[in-house]
């Protein structure tokens, strides 16, 4: 196969590249499911033990943008081609122009800016190509890394949904964040 020139590739910035989930991603999916603290923050629940067949089914159901659950699922790669996590555009409401994004960065790659970079690429796509207007999301109480990333992206903390999930014997809050297209564009203009 010819070498790919990513110089002007839309789905890439100076840190990461977004690509379709591929069949061979099942192993990375399986291994990341053993990071219980991260899975709790992502799924807001204690999950049953992971299985090889479950990881393979997940990848099969979402490979090559084949998902039928309304999510557009991507693998996040660093520029060396290593899979560093996953991200998806979800909860898309075309009528009202709202959406959400789910993201997980594998443990060994956290704190390197990969998540923020991937979020910017997907926010740009949602706002400038899909013509969506408002990003709405929440962070589980105690997820300081994601809350910091939301603020770094220019998101505004819009409120708290108190004691909405029960995990490990405790009721926890959702910290609500939002970002409009205009706020995102303002943040982008400050970077250039």
């Amino acid at each position: 196969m010819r070498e790919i020139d990513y110089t002007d590739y839309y789905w890439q910035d100076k840190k990461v590249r977004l690509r379709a989930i591929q069949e061979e991603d099942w192993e990375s999916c399986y291994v990341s499911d053993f990071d219980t603290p991260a899975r709790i923050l992502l799924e807001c629940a204690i999950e049953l033990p992971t299985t090889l067949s479950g990881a393979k089914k997940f990848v099969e159901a979402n490979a090559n943008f084949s998902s039928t659950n309304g999510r557009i699922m991507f693998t996040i790669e660093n520029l060396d081609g290593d899979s560093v996590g996953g991200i998806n555009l979800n909860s898309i409401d075309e009528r009202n122009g709202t959406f959400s994004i789910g993201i997980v960065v594998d443990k060994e790659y956290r704190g390197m800016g990969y998540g923020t970079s991937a979020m910017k690429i997907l926010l740009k796509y949602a706002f400038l190509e899909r013509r969506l207007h408002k990003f709405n999301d929440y962070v589980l109480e105690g997820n300081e890394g994601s809350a910091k990333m939301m603020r770094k992206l220019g998101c505004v903390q819009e409120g708290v949904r108190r004691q909405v999930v029960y995990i490990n014997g405790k009721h926890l809050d959702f910290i609500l964040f939002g970002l409009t297209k205009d706020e995102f564009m303002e943040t982008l203009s400050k970077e250039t």
Side-chain angles (χ1 to χ4, degrees), residues 108-171:
E108 61 270 28
Y109 297 105
R110 291 185 195 135
M112 299 178 181
Y114 294 145
T116 303
S117 287
M119 286 287 293
K120 284 180 185 175
I121 293 168
L122 205 48
L123 285 167
K124 186 173 90 170
Y125 171 71
F127 287 132
L128 302 180
E129 299 305 316
R130 296 293 297 264
R131 299 179 185 171
L132 298 171
H133 174 70
K134 174 93 183 303
F135 167 62
N136 292 312
D137 219 332
Y138 64 85
V139 171
L140 185 64
E141 173 186 352
N143 189 348
E144 298 304 324
S146 289
K148 181 180 175 184
M149 179 181 65
M150 292 289 178
R151 290 182 185 98
K152 189 175 186 180
L153 290 166
C155 295
V156 175
Q157 183 176 327
E158 297 182 334
V160 175
R161 290 190 58 214
R162 300 177 308 123
Q163 300 183 8
V164 293
V165 294
Y166 185 77
I167 302 170
N168 204 20
K170 296 179 189 170
H171 285 94

Side-chain angles (χ1 to χ4, degrees), residues 5 8 13-14 34 41 47 50 52 54 57-58 60 80 99 102 110 118 125 132 136 151 158 161 167 172 176 190 192:
D5 178 5
D8 297 314
D13 69 2
K14 294 176 181 171
F34 285 92
L41 296 176
E47 299 172 308
T50 189
L52 287 172
K57 284 179 188 174
F58 172 83
E60 185 179 297
D80 292 329
F99 66 98
R110 291 185 195 135
Y125 171 71
L132 298 171
N136 292 312
R151 290 182 185 98
E158 297 182 334
R161 290 190 58 214
I167 302 170
L172 299 173
L176 307 176
K190 290 178 184 177
T192 54

